[in-house]
Amino acid sequence: MKKLLLVFAFILVGIGVVGCTADPTATTAAPTTAAPTTAAPTTQGPTTVAPTTVAPTTEVEEVSQGVTDTTILVGNTAATTGVFAGVGVPFNDAIKAVFEAVNEAGGIGGREIQFITYNDEFDATKGVTFTETLVEQDEVFALVGHFGTPTVGATIDYIQTQGVPMVYAATGINALYFEQSVGNPVMAVQPIYLTDGRIMTARALTTDVYGTGTESFPVNGKIGVLYTNDDVGNSIKAGVEAEVEVFGIDSANVVYYSASIETMEAAVTDLLFEDVDVVILAMNQAPFASALAAMANQSLEVPVFSSYVNADPTYVDPSQYSASRPIFTNAWVDVFSEEGQAAVAEFIAVIMAADFLDETTKTAYLSNSFAIAGYIAATVFVEGLLRVEANGDVLNWDNYIAAMEEGPIDIPMGGIVDFSEGKRWGIASMSLLQYYVGDNPATTEVTETDWETFMQVMPIETIEEIEAK
């Protein structure tokens, strides 16, 4: 179990790349897609009653589309063939595994969850078409695990217009962020890049890693921000800008440089000239690796803070690492605490019990970040159903969204997501990881020099908790 947890320590934190960039090397069984048909919904239009002298009766609240006496129909559109099959297949399989476990336990109020999925091949045009098919023809109750930047970005307005609940978007684009939007059916879960940028900036300003490694951020210290001019970089940069304003940092003490892999050396030269005290890397994996290499080449020896999508030692060259250039990333999962280990055990149990998966695939999924993402998506969706049932309410869109807004929802192996008062921020609490290279403490019989990982150094905390330090 200890070795498995060490694998989780750096695999889980990369969940945010789902549907954005991925190396789909995992070999999995083909997904079993339910036929896109459903029984006619029980929802009916209002009944016209002839006027009488009797006081009118209260209109009976009705279920929404996709809900019958025995079933709840949900769906998504995802890439399950082609380049992104290594992402979409485990993601969807984990969703199915959760629903299978719920159904075998009696369902939700006696209703079984049925799941429809279409293969959009990571194509926005197909994603839009299939999303409309799910909502208007299949008449699903909700979209669960809305998949990938192209489709998500192209359908947010449509989802809001239709009013169909969407739980968990497999991307972190800022278009998912709404400051206060009560009743909004768009309910992102994984951290949005804006939040990611805010938290990494707050950590950089409150973590004592300066000077000898135990000092606080210097008075009038200077922050250097390297960002890629794309959806990821600009979204994270927006969070950095918002957070330095919260801390009241003088604009003269924050410098921003746009950089690509080809221009990274020049950008680092600019940071050297600016004499920065910390570097924030607002980018994903490939440019992140390039930036670290450029900093090593030019001996820029200051702490580095970056996104949760970069918490993978694959992108750090241990031969270029310097203790005076510590590397930190956000993370939104916790497998180290007692609660985190219990959540890992529950995930393992659900995957291993899935009847539609073979044993080889089950084992592979236990350390597959995309399977973990699908598991989280389905689990959060089910929590909303359980809340509606506990409230004794009719299962319809308004009651479901209101139930999701009742208060924080615990994320398996993570912190919380809070939709209350219309918050649509995704997960707004993260832990802090630090890169380590050297001897693996799990293998006491040998001494390594090149073992590397990201390990937790600060627990999961909200932005407000970090800012208060």
Side-chain angles (χ1 to χ4, degrees):
M1 184 65 174
K2 186 174 183 179
K3 291 182 69 176
L4 180 59
L5 290 177
L6 285 172
V7 172
F8 270 83
F10 63 85
I11 291 182
L12 288 181
V13 292
I15 289 174
V17 301
V18 172
C20 298
T21 57
D23 180 12
T25 56
T27 301
T28 63
T32 54
T33 304
T37 59
T38 181
T42 59
T43 305
Q44 298 177 358
T47 303
T48 302
V49 181
T52 67
T53 57
V54 180
T57 58
T58 303
E59 184 177 352
V60 177
E61 194 174 17
E62 297 176 335
V63 297
S64 290
Q65 67 177 45
V67 179
T68 72
D69 291 340
T70 59
T71 61
I72 302 168
L73 183 66
V74 301
N76 76 3
T77 171
T80 54
T81 62
V83 175
F84 286 93
V87 182
V89 171
F91 183 73
N92 273 354
D93 279 351
I95 291 174
K96 296 172 190 175
V98 172
F99 292 162
E100 181 181 276
V102 170
N103 292 342
E104 290 184 353
I108 306 294
R111 295 183 174 108
E112 290 193 350
I113 305 173
Q114 297 181 349
F115 181 62
I116 296 175
T117 182
Y118 291 100
N119 177 21
D120 64 19
E121 300 176 334
F122 207 68
D123 179 270
T125 300
K126 292 181 180 179
V128 169
T129 298
F130 289 142
T131 299
E132 293 174 350
T133 298
L134 285 163
V135 176
E136 299 177 32
Q137 296 182 29
D138 300 319
E139 296 187 327
V140 295
F141 172 74
L143 301 169
V144 181
H146 205 38
F147 188 91
T149 298
T151 294
V152 173
T155 56
I156 291 175
D157 289 344
Y158 172 79
I159 291 168
Q160 290 182 295
T161 299
Q162 294 294 316
V164 60
M166 185 281 285
V167 179
Y168 195 106
T171 179
I173 56 173
N174 283 2
L176 292 163
Y177 183 93
F178 300 89
E179 185 70 23
Q180 189 174 32
S181 183
V182 174
N184 192 332
V186 174
M187 292 173 279
V189 175
Q190 76 178 46
I192 294 169
Y193 293 135
L194 177 73
T195 305
D196 191 23
R198 287 188 61 191
I199 288 181
M200 74 177 71
T201 304
R203 291 288 195 190
L205 294 171
T206 60
T207 306
D208 296 338
V209 293
Y210 300 92
T212 60
T214 59
E215 300 172 21
S216 59
F217 185 74
V219 176
N220 293 322
K222 183 172 284 191
I223 303 170
V225 181
L226 295 185
Y227 68 97
T228 48
N229 189 23
D230 54 19
D231 285 342
V232 175
N234 288 318
S235 295
I236 295 174
K237 175 175 175 280
V240 176
E241 293 169 334
E243 198 62 16
V244 295
E245 185 174 338
V246 169
F247 276 86
I249 304 297
D250 192 314
S251 59
N253 289 333
V254 188
V255 293
Y256 299 89
Y257 288 99
S258 174
S260 63
I261 292 175
E262 293 74 21
T263 63
M264 199 65 73
E265 290 286 348
V268 169
T269 300
D270 290 333
L271 293 184
L272 277 168
F273 177 79
E274 296 283 357
D275 193 25
V276 298
D277 296 284
V278 63
V279 172
I280 293 176
L281 298 178
M283 54 191 63
N284 61 17
Q285 298 94 331
F288 171 73
S290 176
L292 292 179
M295 292 179 69
N297 292 339
Q298 301 188 48
S299 299
L300 179 52
E301 305 286 303
V302 297
V304 175
F305 288 80
S306 194
S307 168
Y308 64 92
V309 304
N310 295 323
D312 183 340
T314 303
Y315 297 97
V316 183
D317 184 344
S319 69
Q320 295 181 322
Y321 176 71
S322 168
S324 58
R325 192 190 320 107
I327 303 167
F328 301 91
T329 68
N330 290 332
W332 59 279
V333 295
D334 172 21
V335 298
F336 299 100
S337 68
E338 184 176 342
E339 295 82 2
Q341 292 184 32
V344 170
E346 291 176 7
F347 164 73
I348 292 172
V350 168
I351 294 298
M352 296 305 293
D355 290 337
F356 63 92
L357 297 175
D358 61 52
E359 295 304 312
T360 300
T361 302
K362 290 177 183 179
T363 301
Y365 281 176
L366 298 185
S367 58
N368 185 295
S369 63
F370 309 123
I372 296 159
Y375 172 82
I376 292 172
T379 301
V380 172
F381 168 71
V382 168
E383 171 62 22
L385 297 179
L386 292 172
R387 289 184 176 189
V388 173
E389 182 185 19
N391 294 338
D393 291 335
V394 172
L395 184 55
N396 58 36
W397 291 350
D398 289 342
N399 289 339
Y400 180 83
I401 295 169
M404 293 287 277
E405 293 180 336
E406 285 178 2
I409 297 173
D410 289 330
I411 301 300
M413 296 166 280
I416 62 170
V417 63
D418 187 1
F419 301 117
S420 65
E421 300 177 345
K423 292 190 286 288
R424 297 295 186 270
W425 306 348
I427 290 174
S429 55
M430 297 195 214
S431 62
L432 183 69
L433 306 185
Q434 182 173 358
Y435 173 80
Y436 285 99
V437 61
D439 184 34
N440 182 354
T443 56
T444 55
E445 68 278 6
V446 296
T447 300
E448 300 99 344
T449 59
D450 59 352
W451 175 82
E452 53 178 336
T453 192
F454 278 89
M455 297 292 287
Q456 181 175 297
V457 293
M458 295 294 291
I460 289 177
E461 297 174 303
T462 65
I463 292 175
E464 292 77 14
E465 288 171 331
I466 301 169
E467 291 172 347
K469 294 183 177 180

